[in-house]
Amino acid sequence: MDNTAKSLENGNALPPDLAGVNDEIPYEELSIATPGQLMWWKFRKHRIAMISVVVLAIMYFMAFFAGFFTPYDPNEFDASYKYVPPMHITFTDENGDFTWRPGVRGLIEERDPETLRRSYNEDPDTWYPINFFVKGYEYKLLWLFKTDIHLFGLGEEAGEQPYFLLGSDRLGRDMFSRIVQGGQISLSIGLVSVFLSLLLGIVLGGVSGYYGGWVDNLIQRTIEFIRSIPTLPLWMALSAALPPDWPQTQRYFGITIILSMIGWTSLGRQVRGRFLALRNEDFVLSARLTGARDMRVIIRHMVPSFTSHIIASLTLSIPGIILAETSLSFLGLGLRQPVISWGVLLQEAQNVRTVALAPWLMIPGLAVVMAVLAFNFLGDGLRDAADPFNR
Amino acid sequence: MENKGLSRRSFLKLVAGSTAAAFVASAEPLAALAQDVTYNEAPMLAELVAAGELPPVAERLPKNPRVIKPYKEIGEYGGTWHRAFKGISDRWGPTKCQEEMAIEWFAPDETTVELVPGFVAEWTQNDDATEFTFTLRDGLKWSDGAPFTTENVAFWYEWNYLGELENKHSFLTPDGVDMVLEVIDELSWKVSFHKPNPLLPISMAKSTGGPPGGPSMAVPSHYLKQFIPDHPDGNQDMIDAAIEANGVQVWQDLFGTAGDMQGPIAFWFKNPELPVINAWKAVNFPTDDPFVMERNPYYHAVDTEGNQLPYIDKMEHALFDDNTVLDLWIAQGRIDMQNRHVSSANFTFYKENEEAGDYQVVLWKNAATYAYHPNINHEKYGPLFDTPAFREALSIAINREEINDLIYDGLQEPRQASPVSGSPNFDPEFETRWTEYDPDKANELLDGIGLTERDGEGFRMWNGETISFNIMHRFPTGDPQADEAQLVENYWRAIGLKVGQDLVERSLYEERCENGDVEVGVWGVDRSSIVMADPGRYLGWVDDGPWAPLYGHWGDPSSVLKKVEPPDDHPIKEIWRLWSEVQAEPDEATRNALFQKIMDIHKEHPWQIGSVGEAPAIFIVSNRFGNMMPNFIVDDTLRGQGLIMPCQCYIKQA
Amino acid sequence: MIQFIIRRTMMAAATIALISVVSFIIIQLPPGDFLTSYVATLSQQGDTIPEEAVTALREAYGLGEPIYIQYYKWISGVVQGDFGQSLEWGVPVNTLIWDRLRMTLAVSASSILFVWTVAIPIGVFSATNQYSLADYFFTFLGFLGLAIPNFLLALILMWIGFSWFDQDVGGLYSPEYQNAPWSMAKFIDLLSHLWIPMVVAGTSGTAGLIRTMRANMLDEINQPYVETARAKGLSELRLIWKYPVRVALNPFISTVGYALPELIGGVTIVAVVLNLPTIGPLLLRALLSQDMYLAGIILMLLSILTVLGTFISDILLAIFDPRIRLE
C-alpha cells in the first residue's frame, strides 16, 4: 500500500521493482504487456539465470545424446591406461611445428617398482590430431538408431592411443564418457522425481487449499509430519528397505519415488497457500457463480494463475533431488554399478587414494555442483520474474 | 612377479605330520631357559610389586612357563600399541592379537608351521586317537591371581559342554556323540571319544571350541559360577542385575546366544571383569573409544632370557567407521601395527606415505583364491555346470594375467582355486589346471559338447534356449572384486554365453546359496593352507562357495537345510567317503594319502573356478614396532597375525 | 499463551506417536526378517547358531505374530526405555546410542550457531547493500555451499586438514584427549576438530537462511518506521540492528524449525565421512547390515529430536511475536 502510494506520488504507476525493466522498454509497451511478456523481460534481466539456462540446456542435450558425445564406451576397460590424468591439448605436431589442429601426444607409461604408482609422460615425438565426427564404438542414438559416429576422438588412425579429456579411472575407463553417461541418470532423476512431486503437490495442495476444512487440516498435518522427520535419514532408511533383488531400472524408479514422496511437501504447501489466496478472488468467485465445476475452476482458472510460481518452485527443488541421489549412491544405498550416475562415480572416488593419487576422479562432483548451481540460479531468476508485482 | 620382492614358492613349507602325537612336547623343542634363571618383569608391574599390590614375578609365573623365542631380538618393556577397530562387532581384530589355546600353531620361520602346546605343558594321545590327555602348567594363574586348575576344566565340561549352555563344538562331538571328560588330578585331564578323532589337535589349534580368545576346554569358573542360577554358588541378585544391565532375556544370554560364548559376561571382549589367561586383558568396554587393553600381570610366558611377556604394556584400539579415516591415520603414523581393514587396493598410497607416517608396508600372503562357483545343483543349468568340458571352457576363457594386471597391480597370483603354495597339499599341477587363457579352445570345447546353435544376438543356445546366467556377488561398486566380476562377465560373453551380474546384499547372497538358486557365486576359496583343518570348501559344505550347495547339505551331517542326494556315481560321494576315512584314520601317512586323493578329484576337473589368489596381506608396521616378521601366511586356520605371537613384539623405547 | 503451549505440546505428542508407527513400519520393510540376515552374518564369521536358538529369538521379538502385536511388544519396550538388542553389535541398543546422540546434538547445535553467525550478518548486509558486488559475491558463495555435496566437501576439507595442516583427522578429539577429563585444553582440542563438520553441515543451510534473512530485511527496510527513525537522525548501524533486524528475525526463527531436519540429515552424512562419534555412522551401518531394530530406533530418536527442536522454536517465536499465538 505504502509503496504504491509513494510510486503514485512520483507520477509513476509502476511498482518500483519494475523500474529496471522500465529503462529499456517504452512505457506504452510496458503498460499493455501480457504477464508472459513481463516475466520474460524481467527474467532476461537476470543475467546469471540466463547463463544457467544455457548451461543446463547443454548438459541435458549432452546427456540425451550421450552416445554421440562420449568418445569411448563408458564401460570399456583398458589395462594399459589406468589412472591417466586429464590429457593436454597441444598445437604443435610431432615435428614441433605449430598447427591449427588440436592434438594430443602419445603417452609413455612408467611404473615405480617400489610403490607401483603409474605415471604417464608425454612422448614429444608423437602427435595425434583430435578429429571430429569420427568413427568409434557402436551405440544406439536415442535408443533407436545404431551408429558409430562420435563428436570427437582420435579416430582409427591413432590406433591404440586414446584421448582422455578428463583422464581415466582405475580400470582405464574414460572419465569424460562416464560423466556424460552418468548425467543421463543424475539429471533425469531430478526431472522425473520433481514431476511426481508436482502431481502429488498440486493434487494434494490444491485439494487442501480449495476445500479447506478437515481435508485441509489432515493434509496440512501430514505435510508437517513428513517435514518433521529428518530428510536424509528417512531417505536412507527407505532406500535401504528397497528389495535388494530388484533390477537396476526398478531400483532407479524406486529411488525416484522415494525422493518425490518426501519432496512434494513444500510444493504442496505453496500450492495450498496460493489456492487459499485465490479462493476469494473475484475471478474465481465469478467462475463459480457461472456454474463451473470445481475441477474446471481449479484447472482452467486457478492453476494457470500461478503456473509461474510452480515452475519456479519446481526448478528450485530439482537440485535437492540431484544431491539426494548423489548422497544415497555415495553412501551405498542408492544406485549401483553397472548403472553409471554421478553418485555412483563419486562413490568410487570416496577414498584417500583417489584424493591423493587421482584427484581427477572427483570431477563428477564438479558436474553435480554445476547442475545444482545452474538450477538454483535459474529457479531464483524464475521466481523473481514470476512475481513482477512483488518482491 | 619381479615386483613382489619375495619368492612365493618358499614362503610356507609346512611340516608334514604336524598333527601327530610326535609333538608330545614336554621338553619344548623351540626354546629353553637356563636352569637357574631369574625372571624379569615390566617396570609398571615392578612398581606394583614394590608397592605390595602384586606378588613377585616368580610367584606369578608357573613353575614351567611357556618359553617363547623372539623372532629377532629380546624386546624392551613398555609402550602402547595403537591400532584401529570398527567397534563391538569387530571382535576378531582384538581377539586374534592374543588367543590362548591348549594347542597352537607355531611358525619358527615363514616356511614352517608346527603344533605346540599353548597354555598346557603337554598333551598326549593314544594310538587310535580316541583318548587325549592334557597337563596344565604347574602354577598357571588367571589374571586375577586365582589358580588355573582342572576344576576350571570340570566346570566347563559340566556347565558349558553338557549343561544348558550347549557349547558343543562339532570337533569335540564327532557324529553328535558327547565326549567323556575325566579329571585325573589337579593338573591333568583326559577326554575320550567313541571313535578315533585324529584331527582333534589341528581343530583345537584353529578354534578354542569355547569362548573366542580362549582358553580351550576351560572357563574362569571361580568368577562365572556366580552367574549360573542352578550352581550352588549362583547369585540370583547378581544374575538379575546383569540381565537388567545388559538388556538380555535369560541368564544363558549372559554367556552367549545359543552357545556362541560371546555374551556380555563370558566373553572377555565385553567384560573387563572376566579373569583371563591372555597376554592382555580388557580395561574398558568395546563401545568405548578407544578400547583399551592392558598387560596381564600373570601371563604365563617368558622370553628366552626369562623376561615375562608381553613386552607391550597397553593396546589401544581407536574406533573408526569409514576406511578413509583409517587410511589417513596410517599416513599420519597413528597406527603401530595393523592388518585388519587395511586394503591392498591402497598399496601405492601406503607405500608413498611410509616416510611421513614412519612405518613400513610389510607383506604377508593370504591363503585364498577368488573363485567362481557354477552351481551344479542349479535347477536349470546344473547339468551343464556339472559337465567338466563346460567348466573347463569357463575357466580357460578367463584371462587371469589381465585381471591381475588391471585390477590388482600384479600383486596377486593367477591360479586355480587350490591349496596355496607351501601347503602340505600344494600341487603345482592343480594350481595351473585350466588356467591357460585360450578363448579359441574354450569355444572349441563348447562346440564339442554340442552347444553350436546360436541365437539372434550370437549367443549359444542349449535345449532350444539361449544360455543366460548371472554371476552373483556382493561386492559394492568400486571394490576390486566387483571390477573382477565385470571382467569375467566380459570374458564369458566373448565365448558366446549370455552372462550378466547380480549384485546382492550379503544376506541375500547367502540365502540364495542355501536354497541352491544361485547360478554362479563368487567367493574367496580360503582356509587353503592346512586344508585338512577345515576342508569344508572342498567338500561342498560351505554355502558361500556354492558349487554344490544342495548336495553339500546332504553330505554335511550338521546341515538342516534343503538337501538333495547326489547320484551314487557322482564324484562328490567319493570325496565324502574319503573324508570320513580321513577323520577316523589314526595313521598319519595313510591319512595324508587319503586326503590327497580328495584334492586329486578336484584337480581332475575343478568345480571352484579360481581367478587370482595368494593376495598380499598388507601389514602397516611402525618403525618403532619390533619383532614383526614379513612373508608369513594369513589364514583363519593359522589364526591370522596370531601366528607370530604378538606378545613377543615390542615398542622400541626412544 | 498457555493455551498455545498446550496446543503445541499436544501436536508434538501426536507427531511423536505417529513417528513411532512409521519407524516401526520401516523396521518391517525389508523383505524376509532381520534374523535371517543375522544368522547369515554369523555363519560367515565362522559362528553357528542352532535352529532352536533362532526359534527362541523369533518368539522374543514376536516375529510371525500379527503386526499390531509386534508393534505393541516393541513400543511398550521402547516406552520403558528398553530399546531392544542390536543384532549386529550384540549389545542393547541403549548402550550404543546415548553418547552418540549427545554428540549429534552437540555437532548440530554448533552447526546452527555457525549458520546463524554467518547467515544473519550476511543477510542484513546483502539487504542493506542490495545488488552491490558484495551482495552478489555472498549470494554466490551461499549457492555454492548449497551446491557442493556435503560428503565431497567433507572429504576435501579432511584432506586439506591432513595434508596441509597435518591435523588429526576423524573423530572429535586428538588421541591424547580421547579419555581425558574435561579441561580447557580438551575443549580447544574439540573446537579444532569441530570446525570441519560445523562448516560442512552448515554450508547447505547457510545459503537458504541468507536468502530468507535478506528477503525479510528487504521487507522491513522499506517500511515507514525505518524512514521515520532515519529522519530522526539515528545512526545507520543502530537504525538497522535495533529495529528491522529484530522484526526480520521473527519469520527467521520459524524457518529454523524447518532447517533442523535438513541439518540433522547433513550432519549424518558428514559424520560418516569424518568418522564422528555421532549417530549417523551408526545409522548407516545398521541400514547396510539390515540391523533394522537399531535403524528404526535411531530414525525415531532423530525425528523426536527434530520435533522437539521445532517445538522449542515455535514457543520462542510465540514469545517474540505475540501475533503467532492467535494463529
Side-chain angles (χ1 to χ4, degrees):
Chain A
M1 273 297 248
D2 305 295
N3 287 344
T4 328
K6 199 170 60 183
S7 309
L8 283 174
E9 258 173 69
N10 299 345
N12 186 345
L14 287 167
D17 266 28
L18 270 187
V21 176
N22 197 16
D23 293 344
E24 294 156 32
I25 315 242
Y27 179 76
E28 303 77 58
E29 250 180 81
L30 200 56
S31 44
I32 55 161
T34 63
Q37 269 171 316
L38 279 176
M39 261 181 83
W40 169 239
W41 289 336
K42 187 88 196 285
F43 181 73
R44 214 170 45 180
K45 285 278 297 170
H46 203 307
R47 207 162 298 138
I48 307 180
M50 284 300 287
I51 297 174
S52 299
V53 172
V54 176
V55 168
L56 285 173
I58 294 175
M59 286 178 110
Y60 274 91
F61 187 74
M62 283 175 72
F64 200 63
F65 296 96
F68 176 66
F69 287 100
T70 54
Y72 300 99
D73 182 341
N75 285 318
E76 195 186 276
F77 310 114
D78 194 337
S80 36
Y81 293 100
K82 285 174 69 169
Y83 287 130
V84 176
M87 286 165 69
H88 301 129
I89 292 177
T90 172
F91 289 95
T92 41
D93 64 17
E94 62 268 43
N95 307 317
D97 299 331
F98 178 81
T99 153
W100 284 108
R101 290 185 72 182
V104 292
R105 301 254 180 266
L107 295 176
I108 305 167
E109 186 198 351
E110 249 180 75
R111 238 173 129 187
D112 184 321
E114 266 292 301
T115 65
L116 303 184
R117 184 186 195 137
R118 288 164 200 257
S119 51
Y120 294 87
N121 293 323
E122 289 184 349
D123 177 3
D125 300 330
T126 56
W127 183 76
Y128 301 95
I130 295 169
N131 294 308
F132 292 91
F133 300 100
V134 292
K135 274 185 192 298
Y137 75 99
E138 201 173 82
Y139 65 98
K140 279 189 179 157
L141 193 67
L142 295 178
W143 300 271
L144 281 177
F145 312 105
K146 254 191 191 171
T147 168
D148 58 358
I149 299 296
H150 300 266
L151 176 67
F152 69 96
L154 296 187
E156 280 154 358
E157 60 267 37
E160 293 287 294
Q161 170 70 33
Y163 171 49
F164 297 129
L165 179 65
L166 299 180
S168 74
D169 73 356
R170 64 188 189 288
L171 296 177
R173 294 175 293 197
D174 178 30
M175 276 313 282
F176 177 74
S177 301
R178 288 175 75 73
I179 292 172
V180 172
Q181 189 71 41
Q184 226 169 41
I185 297 277
S186 294
L187 290 171
S188 70
I189 212 162
L191 285 190
V192 176
S193 175
V194 157
F195 179 72
L196 291 176
S197 300
L198 174 73
L199 286 184
L200 278 170
I202 288 195
V203 172
L204 293 176
V207 166
S208 183
Y210 188 79
Y211 290 103
W214 68 270
V215 183
D216 181 33
N217 227 323
L218 181 75
I219 294 176
Q220 283 315 299
R221 294 296 88 78
T222 313
I223 290 180
E224 262 166 38
F225 172 67
I226 295 179
R227 295 192 69 163
S228 70
I229 304 180
T231 330
L232 188 72
L234 184 60
W235 274 331
M236 284 164 69
L238 289 174
S239 327
L242 286 181
D245 52 346
W246 273 12
Q248 289 295 329
T249 39
Q250 219 168 327
R251 220 181 150 73
Y252 169 82
F253 285 110
I255 287 184
T256 314
I257 289 170
I258 290 173
L259 293 181
S260 53
M261 249 165 48
I262 303 166
W264 68 273
T265 53
S266 70
L267 202 67
R269 236 163 207 257
Q270 292 189 22
V271 172
R272 168 183 176 264
R274 289 284 145 190
F275 266 96
L276 278 181
L278 287 175
R279 201 164 52 167
N280 302 322
E281 291 276 338
D282 292 345
F283 74 93
V284 176
L285 198 64
S286 48
R288 272 214 189 128
L289 287 176
T290 53
R293 277 170 295 115
D294 285 353
M295 237 16 212
R296 189 179 154 82
V297 177
I298 292 181
I299 292 173
R300 201 68 198 103
H301 300 278
M302 292 173 83
V303 172
S305 71
F306 59 86
T307 338
S308 50
H309 290 274
I310 294 184
I311 293 176
S313 312
L314 277 184
T315 317
L316 283 172
S317 58
I318 294 177
I321 306 281
I322 293 180
L323 284 175
E325 183 276 326
T326 318
S327 302
L328 286 179
S329 300
F330 172 80
L331 291 173
L333 294 168
L335 297 162
R336 298 170 186 151
Q337 241 185 358
V339 168
I340 304 173
S341 81
W342 291 341
V344 171
L345 292 179
L346 284 174
Q347 195 208 1
E348 293 178 23
Q350 64 152 319
N351 47 57
V352 278
R353 71 173 174 277
T354 297
V355 188
L357 310 174
W360 57 90
L361 296 188
M362 294 166 81
I363 294 176
L366 218 59
V368 175
V369 172
M370 263 169 68
V372 170
L373 265 184
F375 269 116
N376 272 323
F377 286 131
L378 174 61
D380 216 34
L382 283 174
R383 189 170 52 188
D384 283 358
D387 234 348
F389 298 103
N390 282 330
R391 175 184 70 249
Chain B
M1 259 204 286
E2 287 72 27
N3 55 37
K4 287 198 276 181
L6 63 102
S7 135
R8 68 184 270 283
R9 284 296 163 217
S10 66
F11 81 84
L12 187 70
K13 174 181 69 214
L14 294 156
V15 170
S18 56
T19 65
F23 274 89
V24 180
S26 47
E28 296 204 286
L30 346 159
L33 276 176
Q35 276 299 314
D36 49 350
V37 70
T38 48
Y39 295 123
N40 297 316
E41 63 191 325
M44 73 173 269
L45 296 182
E47 277 172 33
L48 291 175
V49 174
E53 286 170 36
L54 208 61
V57 61
E59 289 171 32
R60 300 199 306 266
L61 284 166
K63 292 201 180 83
N64 49 345
R66 181 170 181 187
V67 181
I68 289 171
K69 184 169 177 280
Y71 278 100
K72 287 180 191 150
E73 66 257 335
I74 298 292
E76 298 166 57
Y77 278 123
T80 301
W81 170 2
H82 298 95
R83 64 187 295 285
F85 83 138
K86 286 204 167 185
I88 194 167
S89 60
D90 192 4
R91 55 200 180 283
W92 287 110
T95 298
K96 281 190 181 173
C97 294
Q98 54 150 1
E99 289 179 307
E100 287 299 330
M101 281 107 153
I103 300 170
E104 291 184 358
W105 294 112
F106 170 67
D109 56 62
E110 69 270 22
T111 62
T112 320
V113 169
E114 51 199 39
L115 286 177
V116 296
F119 67 85
V120 298
E122 63 166 34
W123 92 88
T124 54
Q125 62 192 64
N126 64 358
D127 286 344
D128 63 357
T130 53
E131 287 179 11
F132 296 80
T133 307
F134 300 86
T135 307
L136 286 168
R137 294 179 193 275
D138 188 5
L140 181 66
K141 292 186 177 62
W142 296 95
S143 56
D144 59 355
F148 186 134
T149 65
T150 42
E151 202 191 311
N152 300 99
V153 178
F155 178 95
W156 168 82
Y157 184 62
E158 183 183 355
W159 296 100
N160 285 55
Y161 185 84
L162 294 177
E164 283 176 68
L165 295 170
E166 292 183 50
N167 190 17
K168 285 182 195 176
H169 225 278
S170 55
F171 63 80
L172 297 175
T173 321
D175 300 345
V177 179
D178 288 349
M179 68 173 186
V180 177
L181 187 143
E182 182 192 333
V183 170
I184 299 167
D185 55 33
E186 204 171 74
L187 295 181
S188 333
W189 77 94
K190 183 169 86 179
V191 293
S192 355
F193 299 92
H194 75 287
K195 70 171 209 185
N197 193 5
L199 298 180
L200 183 72
I202 58 171
S203 303
M204 286 182 70
K206 177 175 187 291
S207 163
T208 64
S216 330
M217 293 194 200
V219 289
S221 51
H222 60 290
Y223 172 81
L224 287 179
K225 64 186 179 188
Q226 316 169 82
F227 294 97
I228 296 184
D230 296 343
H231 193 280
D233 292 332
N235 181 337
Q236 195 60 44
D237 292 343
M238 272 182 85
I239 296 171
D240 291 341
I243 287 179
E244 174 74 30
N246 291 293
V248 295
Q249 317 281 331
V250 289
W251 71 270
Q252 286 93 335
D253 291 346
L254 296 173
F255 289 78
T257 32
D260 67 359
M261 288 301 280
Q262 294 179 18
I265 292 296
F267 186 18
W268 75 273
F269 185 54
K270 292 180 184 165
N271 182 8
E273 281 181 16
L274 183 81
V276 295
I277 60 163
N278 308 70
W280 293 275
K281 59 187 167 66
V283 171
N284 56 1
F285 294 91
T287 41
D288 293 327
D289 176 25
F291 170 58
V292 181
M293 286 152 61
E294 200 178 62
R295 63 182 321 131
N296 167 9
Y298 292 91
Y299 190 57
H300 60 265
V302 296
D303 68 16
T304 39
E305 290 183 2
N307 299 307
Q308 188 194 19
L309 296 174
Y311 293 123
I312 297 174
D313 283 342
K314 269 168 75 181
M315 218 188 277
E316 280 188 13
H317 310 264
L319 182 74
F320 74 101
D321 279 296
D322 191 81
N323 279 44
T324 308
V325 172
L326 173 64
D327 295 337
L328 290 181
W329 282 351
I330 289 172
Q332 285 182 326
R334 283 175 62 177
I335 300 293
D336 291 321
M337 202 277 262
Q338 176 124 4
N339 161 240
R340 211 172 163 82
H341 311 298
V342 177
S343 160
S344 62
N346 289 335
F347 180 83
T348 303
F349 178 77
Y350 299 140
K351 269 304 226 190
E352 291 191 345
N353 284 287
E354 272 183 333
E355 211 169 303
D358 193 25
Y359 62 84
Q360 275 191 313
V361 172
V362 170
L363 297 186
W364 284 25
K365 283 276 174 187
N366 279 305
T369 310
Y370 289 114
Y372 295 77
H373 301 78
N375 170 14
I376 62 171
N377 293 139
H378 188 259
E379 206 183 351
K380 192 166 171 192
Y381 294 110
L384 203 54
F385 292 154
D386 210 4
T387 312
F390 189 81
R391 288 203 304 275
E392 184 178 358
L394 290 184
S395 185
I396 61 176
I398 297 175
N399 188 345
R400 291 172 175 78
E401 294 288 348
E402 185 177 69
I403 289 177
N404 191 28
D405 193 40
L406 180 61
I407 301 171
Y408 301 104
D409 279 325
L411 285 167
Q412 302 217 18
E413 186 69 30
R415 65 197 308 275
Q416 192 53 269
S418 58
V420 295
S421 46
S423 154
N425 306 104
F426 174 72
D427 177 351
E429 271 181 47
F430 190 1
E431 187 188 39
T432 53
R433 177 80 174 158
W434 293 355
T435 56
E436 192 78 17
Y437 174 55
D438 194 346
D440 294 337
K441 189 178 165 204
N443 272 316
E444 279 169 31
L445 282 166
L446 294 181
D447 290 342
I449 53 172
L451 303 173
T452 45
E453 209 183 326
R454 304 265 185 158
D455 71 0
E457 290 175 90
F459 290 116
R460 290 175 191 275
M461 296 173 67
W462 180 53
N463 292 344
E465 268 181 73
T466 303
I467 304 175
S468 160
F469 56 85
N470 280 339
I471 300 171
M472 184 171 81
H473 66 87
R474 60 167 189 94
F475 306 109
T477 302
D479 253 33
Q481 287 82 39
D483 293 338
E484 194 191 303
Q486 183 68 51
L487 251 69
V488 171
E489 176 191 323
N490 293 356
Y491 297 139
W492 287 350
R493 280 178 164 256
I495 54 168
L497 301 170
K498 191 171 182 179
V499 177
Q501 265 184 83
D502 221 349
L503 170 58
V504 296
E505 228 59 64
R506 170 133 122 208
S507 54
L508 189 70
Y509 178 90
E510 309 246 345
E511 195 183 310
R512 289 210 192 148
C513 290
E514 282 171 10
N515 298 338
D517 295 337
V518 55
E519 285 155 352
V520 177
V522 190
W523 208 270
V525 176
D526 56 1
R527 306 168 217 182
S528 290
S529 57
I530 309 221
V531 189
M532 213 190 289
D534 188 355
R537 298 216 171 266
Y538 295 90
L539 303 177
W541 292 358
V542 186
D543 277 326
D544 53 34
W547 57 273
L550 302 186
Y551 288 172
H553 298 152
W554 190 86
D556 180 357
S558 66
S559 177
V560 292
L561 297 159
K562 180 179 165 190
K563 49 187 72 175
V564 171
E565 184 180 353
D568 281 336
D569 58 346
H570 198 278
I572 199 170
K573 276 213 164 164
E574 174 68 6
I575 289 178
W576 295 338
R577 197 188 57 72
L578 286 164
W579 173 239
S580 59
E581 277 182 39
V582 168
Q583 282 177 293
E585 178 53 61
D587 181 66
E588 172 95 43
T590 320
R591 191 166 66 231
N592 288 340
L594 283 170
F595 192 75
Q596 193 56 48
K597 278 192 191 168
I598 297 182
M599 292 295 118
D600 288 345
I601 295 177
H602 272 272
K603 178 172 83 177
E604 184 58 31
H605 36 63
W607 283 279
Q608 317 177 88
I609 299 175
S611 56
V612 294
E614 295 184 11
I618 296 189
F619 283 77
I620 300 298
V621 182
S622 159
N623 290 330
R624 297 183 304 123
F625 197 88
N627 282 347
M628 174 64 198
M629 305 295 291
N631 299 352
F632 281 72
I633 198 161
V634 182
D635 194 3
D636 191 43
T637 304
L638 297 175
R639 310 317 290 156
Q641 68 192 33
L643 187 61
I644 58 137
M645 297 173 292
C647 66
Q648 58 85 41
C649 294
Y650 72 100
I651 311 267
K652 290 172 189 158
Q653 306 295 310
Chain C
M1 182 69 190
I2 289 172
Q3 215 187 354
F4 173 80
I5 293 183
I6 292 173
R7 213 175 56 222
R8 286 296 293 121
T9 313
M10 278 168 58
M11 254 171 69
T15 315
I16 288 174
L18 213 57
I19 283 172
S20 79
V21 176
V22 169
S23 306
F24 184 72
I25 292 173
I26 284 174
I27 291 176
Q28 303 297 324
L29 272 181
D33 57 62
F34 59 91
L35 267 184
T36 322
S37 52
Y38 173 56
V39 174
T41 316
L42 273 188
S43 65
Q44 160 60 23
Q45 288 156 341
D47 305 330
T48 44
I49 164 167
E51 205 64 10
E52 311 91 70
V54 177
T55 324
L57 279 171
R58 208 167 279 278
E59 260 160 38
Y61 286 100
L63 300 176
E65 287 182 64
I67 193 94
Y68 56 90
I69 293 187
Q70 290 190 38
Y71 174 72
Y72 177 74
K73 278 193 170 180
W74 178 73
I75 195 72
S76 43
V78 167
V79 170
Q80 293 162 27
D82 170 19
F83 288 170
Q85 192 87 358
S86 155
L87 284 175
E88 196 210 349
W89 297 64
V91 296
V93 170
N94 260 326
T95 59
L96 291 173
I97 49 175
W98 294 114
D99 272 352
R100 285 172 173 262
L101 207 58
R102 257 198 298 279
M103 269 353 265
T104 307
L105 263 179
V107 176
S108 306
S110 49
S111 286
I112 289 184
L113 279 182
F114 169 79
V115 169
W116 281 11
T117 42
V118 172
I120 295 177
I122 292 183
V124 172
F125 178 86
S126 289
T128 46
N129 299 279
Q130 205 186 356
Y131 302 130
S132 68
L133 199 65
D135 178 25
Y136 281 124
F137 175 74
F138 284 128
T139 309
F140 184 78
L141 211 62
F143 274 125
L144 201 64
L146 199 64
I148 298 181
N150 275 344
F151 58 89
L152 205 63
L153 191 60
L155 195 65
I156 293 170
L157 285 185
M158 188 161 73
W159 180 254
I160 290 175
F162 159 74
S163 62
W164 294 2
F165 304 111
D166 195 27
Q167 204 189 355
D168 282 315
V169 291
L172 287 177
Y173 307 103
S174 306
E176 61 268 32
Y177 292 111
Q178 197 73 257
N179 284 342
W182 276 103
S183 64
M184 200 56 206
K186 181 168 180 172
F187 182 69
I188 291 169
D189 181 63
L190 173 68
L191 283 188
S192 78
H193 284 81
L194 207 55
W195 73 272
I196 297 182
M198 218 164 71
V199 170
V200 177
T203 43
S204 49
T206 313
L209 288 187
I210 289 179
R211 301 298 292 167
T212 317
M213 192 63 205
R214 178 175 178 271
N216 293 347
M217 272 306 282
L218 284 177
D219 269 354
E220 293 303 321
I221 238 166
N222 294 325
Q223 297 284 342
Y225 72 86
V226 181
E227 290 290 311
T228 316
R230 188 173 285 133
K232 283 191 170 177
L234 230 58
S235 83
E236 194 69 8
L237 200 68
R238 258 191 89 190
L239 173 98
I240 297 290
W241 285 95
K242 194 135 194 246
Y243 302 108
V245 169
R246 271 167 59 176
V247 182
L249 272 178
N250 283 340
F252 188 81
I253 293 174
S254 73
T255 58
V256 171
Y258 289 118
L260 211 59
E262 306 258 326
L263 195 67
I264 287 184
V267 172
T268 306
I269 194 165
V270 172
V272 170
V273 180
L274 293 178
N275 200 39
L276 304 183
T278 65
I279 208 108
L282 198 64
L283 173 65
L284 180 64
R285 278 189 63 191
L287 288 172
L288 287 175
S289 63
Q290 305 264 298
D291 189 350
M292 293 312 273
Y293 265 71
L294 184 54
I297 293 274
I298 292 176
L299 188 66
M300 191 169 83
L301 288 177
L302 284 180
S303 309
I304 291 176
L305 215 63
T306 324
V307 171
L308 290 182
T310 319
F311 177 71
I312 293 169
S313 93
D314 278 1
I315 302 283
L316 281 181
L317 190 59
I319 292 170
F320 279 110
D321 188 353
R323 284 172 298 180
I324 301 284
R325 294 175 215 162
L326 300 171
E327 198 189 279

